[in-house]
Amino acid sequence: MSDYRVIEAKSSVFFDRYERKPELQQQTHYCPGCGHGVVHKLIAEAIEDLGLQDRTILVSPVGCSVFAYYYFNTGNVQAAHGRTPAVATALKRSHPESIVIGYQGDGDLAAIGMSEIVHAANRGEKFTIFFVNNAIYGMTGGQMAPTTLVGQMSTTTPWGRRPSNEGFPLHMAELLATLEAPVYIERVALCDNKNIMRTRKAVRKALELQRDAAGFSFVEILSPCPTIWKMTPAEARNWVAEKMLPVFPLGVLRDRKLPPSGNAVPPQHSVAELLELAAPGEAPSTLQPPRAPLPGLAVNIAGFGGQGILLLGQVLAEMGLRAGQEVSWLPSYGPEMRSGSAHCHVCLANERVGSPLVEHPQVLVAMNEPSLRKFAAQVAADGLVLYNRDALPAGFSVPQARVYCVPASEIADRLGAAKTANMVMLGALLELTHALPAETALAVLQTKVRNPALLEINRHALDAGAERIRKAVPPAILTTA
Amino acid sequence: MPSEPRGKVTINSNECKGCGLCVDACPPKCLELAPELTPYGVHPARYLGSACTGCGICFYACPEPGAITVYRMMPPPKSPATLSQEANRAATL
Ligand SMILES: Cc1ncc(C[n+]2csc(CCOP(=O)(O)OP(=O)(O)O)c2C)c(N)n1
Ligand code: SF4
Ligand code: SF4
Ligand code: SF4
């Protein structure tokens, strides 16, 4: 007996068994003769040969290949229809050391996902897209795809695609080759042995380029869909050669040896630098390490646009930043920039802020009655409500919280600048919570209010707010009044 | 005794879907679809038992990850004479 050794066998990048269905653990779900299977094999083989299995994340699409994650023993994410390039962008940017492979059909990539692929390619995202073009929507039973040939029947072009009504087939490889950023674009076909081997080479090359961090690589693969085309597997392969090749010429459309020059990392300024809290290059941590840990605080500030709602939140957040806290500021306003309702959420914390959304504020600053009515019930038990009038509306109460009525607008008006009502409220809030020292508020305001006279009014406003609290009637009496 | 074929293939009939692409693709035509049916109701590919060159073409024609395994005969160990011949050729290149 002679010695035979295995030269071609199932790639170890495929799972041994596919868990999709208990009774079909050895079979993919693809129709006999479907091109997706061949593409899968070529990708798996390249991943294996290049030693990339542990680093690979495959993004499968919506389409017949939606279940690719049952087959590839790699990292897997299944993206919403057409969104593979967007998902791949996030994966590659957050895990630059990984090999991110997007797998897409022609409906997925060239119809619903057209915008994602164009922009990802244009940004030169450093991942690879394998685009399986079978000129039809396979999964949904044969509707026209953007790549359907002129004259080709589909369920939505039952008399054949007519350019006068449905336009011409889209040439995705050529279209993307008009962009500057991609480093490699090739169209290949699964029409015969020779071309399958060319496809194998292209798949491998695209992944090598990604391994070498070259840039965006794209391989369009003309692929048979015997089922929808209503052909035998052999006829379908011939149809790729005879009908698709004349419309979609094969070849390399882009092969750039060097990645485009330039550093993708934007110039870094720390938040502290941008807010003029630190000189360029100065480490923000040297700013002001927290002396004693300050109490965290979650605040909702609400009112009309123009009342300085968002600015009040900003000042509070920047104060926290100066005190070395983790902060977030989440503004929310309607389409009207003035006079609509506006609110913002501010978190001051001693650990990283998990979510900037404040569902149950410890403090609600309600600058008008609609905001009070809208948000009072959300205030946390034992929380605080600061209301911009000298009494609550008749019959209204906030049973779970302490309410302080601070007629900030009136006070500010008397000080000579109605728009400093927000600072009256800030003064009151700081006096009540001791969350941060009032001097920090002034330091922040100095960077925002350049007019010295106005700055002075702001200082008075802060003081007046604090003063109001010091003299306030205890809230229990107010709320029951 | 006729010399043993250079290659051979095995077909996993649990995976084969009987598409026939390997049969078409094989240059020496040493594959066929079997007359019997698998439990999945397809005629699976099978190796006719001779003439396989171990070229691997059927493997790449087949859409199924592991339906086909291709083997090639190990080259016989080289004699010292051929080894030194090869070394000479390499040196003159
Ligand atoms: C948002 C959304 N719109 C539409 C669909 C329906 N849908 C599923 S697959 C598909 C097209 C698939 O065609 P293609 O991308 O060419 O892949 P193939 O199945 O041919 O491999 C469509 C329109 C969906 N799942 N989600
Ligand atoms: S419908 Fe077409 S693309 Fe989908 S699995 Fe079947 S042959 Fe493949
Ligand atoms: S390895 Fe080559 S010769 Fe052998 S069965 Fe496959 S295609 Fe035919
Ligand atoms: S190509 Fe694969 S699935 Fe098709 S008949 Fe041959 S072994 Fe079976």
mmCIF file of all heavy atoms in Angstrom, chain B residues 7-9 22 25-31 47 51-59 68 70, ligand 3:
data_model
loop_
_atom_site.group_PDB
_atom_site.id
_atom_site.type_symbol
_atom_site.label_atom_id
_atom_site.label_comp_id
_atom_site.label_asym_id
_atom_site.label_seq_id
_atom_site.Cartn_x
_atom_site.Cartn_y
_atom_site.Cartn_z
ATOM 1 N N GLY B 7 -3.553 10.046 -6.921
ATOM 2 C CA GLY B 7 -4.407 10.649 -5.897
ATOM 3 C C GLY B 7 -5.609 9.790 -5.610
ATOM 4 O O GLY B 7 -5.834 8.760 -6.248
ATOM 5 N N LYS B 8 -6.365 10.198 -4.614
ATOM 6 C CA LYS B 8 -7.667 9.572 -4.382
ATOM 7 C C LYS B 8 -8.536 10.571 -3.625
ATOM 8 O O LYS B 8 -8.025 11.544 -3.055
ATOM 9 C CB LYS B 8 -7.535 8.263 -3.614
ATOM 10 C CG LYS B 8 -7.015 8.427 -2.199
ATOM 11 C CD LYS B 8 -7.150 7.120 -1.435
ATOM 12 C CE LYS B 8 -6.778 7.343 0.028
ATOM 13 N NZ LYS B 8 -6.910 6.156 0.858
ATOM 14 N N VAL B 9 -9.827 10.336 -3.678
ATOM 15 C CA VAL B 9 -10.732 11.221 -2.933
ATOM 16 C C VAL B 9 -11.703 10.381 -2.116
ATOM 17 O O VAL B 9 -11.995 9.229 -2.465
ATOM 18 C CB VAL B 9 -11.558 12.142 -3.866
ATOM 19 C CG1 VAL B 9 -10.674 13.135 -4.592
ATOM 20 C CG2 VAL B 9 -12.381 11.339 -4.844
ATOM 21 N N CYS B 22 -18.595 18.551 -8.915
ATOM 22 C CA CYS B 22 -17.285 17.888 -8.881
ATOM 23 C C CYS B 22 -17.161 16.941 -10.062
ATOM 24 O O CYS B 22 -16.085 16.809 -10.654
ATOM 25 C CB CYS B 22 -17.105 17.140 -7.562
ATOM 26 S SG CYS B 22 -18.390 15.922 -7.248
ATOM 27 N N ALA B 25 -16.281 18.891 -12.995
ATOM 28 C CA ALA B 25 -15.004 19.592 -12.926
ATOM 29 C C ALA B 25 -13.805 18.660 -13.040
ATOM 30 O O ALA B 25 -12.740 19.091 -13.461
ATOM 31 C CB ALA B 25 -14.914 20.369 -11.612
ATOM 32 N N CYS B 26 -13.959 17.425 -12.681
ATOM 33 C CA CYS B 26 -12.802 16.509 -12.604
ATOM 34 C C CYS B 26 -12.179 16.292 -13.999
ATOM 35 O O CYS B 26 -12.849 15.763 -14.890
ATOM 36 C CB CYS B 26 -13.256 15.165 -12.026
ATOM 37 S SG CYS B 26 -11.961 13.916 -12.105
ATOM 38 N N PRO B 27 -10.926 16.677 -14.192
ATOM 39 C CA PRO B 27 -10.325 16.517 -15.536
ATOM 40 C C PRO B 27 -10.279 15.062 -16.019
ATOM 41 O O PRO B 27 -10.705 14.801 -17.145
ATOM 42 C CB PRO B 27 -8.934 17.135 -15.386
ATOM 43 C CG PRO B 27 -9.054 18.063 -14.220
ATOM 44 C CD PRO B 27 -10.043 17.421 -13.292
ATOM 45 N N PRO B 28 -9.806 14.104 -15.215
ATOM 46 C CA PRO B 28 -9.794 12.726 -15.758
ATOM 47 C C PRO B 28 -11.137 12.011 -15.639
ATOM 48 O O PRO B 28 -11.218 10.812 -15.935
ATOM 49 C CB PRO B 28 -8.710 12.045 -14.921
ATOM 50 C CG PRO B 28 -8.608 12.807 -13.659
ATOM 51 C CD PRO B 28 -9.110 14.193 -13.924
ATOM 52 N N LYS B 29 -12.170 12.720 -15.243
ATOM 53 C CA LYS B 29 -13.527 12.141 -15.168
ATOM 54 C C LYS B 29 -13.572 10.864 -14.320
ATOM 55 O O LYS B 29 -14.032 9.823 -14.760
ATOM 56 C CB LYS B 29 -14.058 11.833 -16.590
ATOM 57 C CG LYS B 29 -14.186 13.091 -17.453
ATOM 58 C CD LYS B 29 -15.349 13.947 -16.987
ATOM 59 C CE LYS B 29 -15.304 15.347 -17.572
ATOM 60 N NZ LYS B 29 -15.553 16.416 -16.611
ATOM 61 N N CYS B 30 -13.053 10.984 -13.131
ATOM 62 C CA CYS B 30 -13.052 9.792 -12.286
ATOM 63 C C CYS B 30 -14.065 9.890 -11.141
ATOM 64 O O CYS B 30 -13.958 9.184 -10.148
ATOM 65 C CB CYS B 30 -11.647 9.498 -11.776
ATOM 66 S SG CYS B 30 -10.965 10.801 -10.773
ATOM 67 N N LEU B 31 -15.064 10.787 -11.282
ATOM 68 C CA LEU B 31 -16.144 10.863 -10.301
ATOM 69 C C LEU B 31 -17.475 10.643 -11.006
ATOM 70 O O LEU B 31 -17.610 10.893 -12.208
ATOM 71 C CB LEU B 31 -16.165 12.252 -9.634
ATOM 72 C CG LEU B 31 -14.934 12.653 -8.810
ATOM 73 C CD1 LEU B 31 -15.015 14.120 -8.416
ATOM 74 C CD2 LEU B 31 -14.810 11.768 -7.574
ATOM 75 N N TYR B 47 -16.247 8.232 -5.996
ATOM 76 C CA TYR B 47 -14.996 8.085 -6.751
ATOM 77 C C TYR B 47 -15.027 6.756 -7.472
ATOM 78 O O TYR B 47 -15.407 5.734 -6.896
ATOM 79 C CB TYR B 47 -13.826 8.156 -5.762
ATOM 80 C CG TYR B 47 -12.467 7.899 -6.346
ATOM 81 C CD1 TYR B 47 -12.100 8.465 -7.573
ATOM 82 C CD2 TYR B 47 -11.541 7.125 -5.663
ATOM 83 C CE1 TYR B 47 -10.838 8.246 -8.095
ATOM 84 C CE2 TYR B 47 -10.274 6.900 -6.179
ATOM 85 C CZ TYR B 47 -9.921 7.462 -7.409
ATOM 86 O OH TYR B 47 -8.669 7.233 -7.929
ATOM 87 N N ALA B 51 -7.568 6.512 -11.503
ATOM 88 C CA ALA B 51 -7.237 7.658 -12.370
ATOM 89 C C ALA B 51 -7.226 9.010 -11.669
ATOM 90 O O ALA B 51 -6.918 10.026 -12.287
ATOM 91 C CB ALA B 51 -8.156 7.738 -13.593
ATOM 92 N N CYS B 52 -7.527 9.060 -10.389
ATOM 93 C CA CYS B 52 -7.458 10.355 -9.701
ATOM 94 C C CYS B 52 -6.007 10.817 -9.658
ATOM 95 O O CYS B 52 -5.107 10.062 -9.317
ATOM 96 C CB CYS B 52 -8.018 10.239 -8.283
ATOM 97 S SG CYS B 52 -7.772 11.743 -7.304
ATOM 98 N N THR B 53 -5.803 12.071 -9.997
ATOM 99 C CA THR B 53 -4.436 12.614 -9.982
ATOM 100 C C THR B 53 -4.156 13.390 -8.697
ATOM 101 O O THR B 53 -3.064 13.917 -8.518
ATOM 102 C CB THR B 53 -4.227 13.571 -11.170
ATOM 103 O OG1 THR B 53 -5.156 14.658 -11.020
ATOM 104 C CG2 THR B 53 -4.451 12.885 -12.505
ATOM 105 N N GLY B 54 -5.180 13.521 -7.865
ATOM 106 C CA GLY B 54 -4.991 14.308 -6.643
ATOM 107 C C GLY B 54 -4.841 15.789 -6.939
ATOM 108 O O GLY B 54 -4.211 16.535 -6.180
ATOM 109 N N CYS B 55 -5.456 16.250 -8.037
ATOM 110 C CA CYS B 55 -5.261 17.649 -8.439
ATOM 111 C C CYS B 55 -6.006 18.619 -7.520
ATOM 112 O O CYS B 55 -5.670 19.794 -7.453
ATOM 113 C CB CYS B 55 -5.722 17.851 -9.878
ATOM 114 S SG CYS B 55 -7.509 17.648 -10.078
ATOM 115 N N GLY B 56 -7.042 18.159 -6.845
ATOM 116 C CA GLY B 56 -7.761 19.022 -5.906
ATOM 117 C C GLY B 56 -8.843 19.877 -6.536
ATOM 118 O O GLY B 56 -9.528 20.642 -5.846
ATOM 119 N N ILE B 57 -9.026 19.757 -7.834
ATOM 120 C CA ILE B 57 -10.010 20.618 -8.508
ATOM 121 C C ILE B 57 -11.422 20.365 -7.984
ATOM 122 O O ILE B 57 -12.192 21.303 -7.738
ATOM 123 C CB ILE B 57 -9.926 20.403 -10.038
ATOM 124 C CG1 ILE B 57 -8.683 21.127 -10.565
ATOM 125 C CG2 ILE B 57 -11.188 20.892 -10.734
ATOM 126 C CD1 ILE B 57 -8.390 20.884 -12.029
ATOM 127 N N CYS B 58 -11.746 19.100 -7.759
ATOM 128 C CA CYS B 58 -13.102 18.792 -7.289
ATOM 129 C C CYS B 58 -13.357 19.454 -5.936
ATOM 130 O O CYS B 58 -14.471 19.897 -5.651
ATOM 131 C CB CYS B 58 -13.314 17.279 -7.193
ATOM 132 S SG CYS B 58 -12.050 16.465 -6.191
ATOM 133 N N PHE B 59 -12.324 19.552 -5.109
ATOM 134 C CA PHE B 59 -12.491 20.140 -3.781
ATOM 135 C C PHE B 59 -12.958 21.581 -3.901
ATOM 136 O O PHE B 59 -13.869 22.018 -3.192
ATOM 137 C CB PHE B 59 -11.171 20.071 -3.000
ATOM 138 C CG PHE B 59 -11.255 20.709 -1.640
ATOM 139 C CD1 PHE B 59 -11.793 20.012 -0.571
ATOM 140 C CD2 PHE B 59 -10.823 22.010 -1.434
ATOM 141 C CE1 PHE B 59 -11.894 20.606 0.685
ATOM 142 C CE2 PHE B 59 -10.916 22.616 -0.189
ATOM 143 C CZ PHE B 59 -11.457 21.904 0.879
ATOM 144 N N ILE B 68 -15.770 16.704 0.279
ATOM 145 C CA ILE B 68 -14.686 16.015 -0.433
ATOM 146 C C ILE B 68 -13.380 16.165 0.338
ATOM 147 O O ILE B 68 -13.053 17.247 0.810
ATOM 148 C CB ILE B 68 -14.485 16.608 -1.840
ATOM 149 C CG1 ILE B 68 -15.772 16.481 -2.663
ATOM 150 C CG2 ILE B 68 -13.308 15.928 -2.559
ATOM 151 C CD1 ILE B 68 -15.635 16.945 -4.094
ATOM 152 N N VAL B 70 -9.349 15.269 -0.476
ATOM 153 C CA VAL B 70 -8.452 14.834 -1.555
ATOM 154 C C VAL B 70 -7.123 14.391 -0.958
ATOM 155 O O VAL B 70 -6.582 15.054 -0.066
ATOM 156 C CB VAL B 70 -8.206 15.973 -2.569
ATOM 157 C CG1 VAL B 70 -7.294 15.510 -3.697
ATOM 158 C CG2 VAL B 70 -9.525 16.499 -3.115
HETATM 159 S S1 SF4 C 3 -8.592 15.328 -7.193
HETATM 160 FE FE1 SF4 C 3 -8.677 15.887 -9.335
HETATM 161 S S2 SF4 C 3 -8.561 13.958 -10.395
HETATM 162 FE FE2 SF4 C 3 -9.037 13.475 -8.283
HETATM 163 S S3 SF4 C 3 -11.236 13.334 -8.254
HETATM 164 FE FE3 SF4 C 3 -10.726 15.401 -7.709
HETATM 165 S S4 SF4 C 3 -10.780 16.490 -9.647
HETATM 166 FE FE4 SF4 C 3 -10.704 14.366 -10.123
#
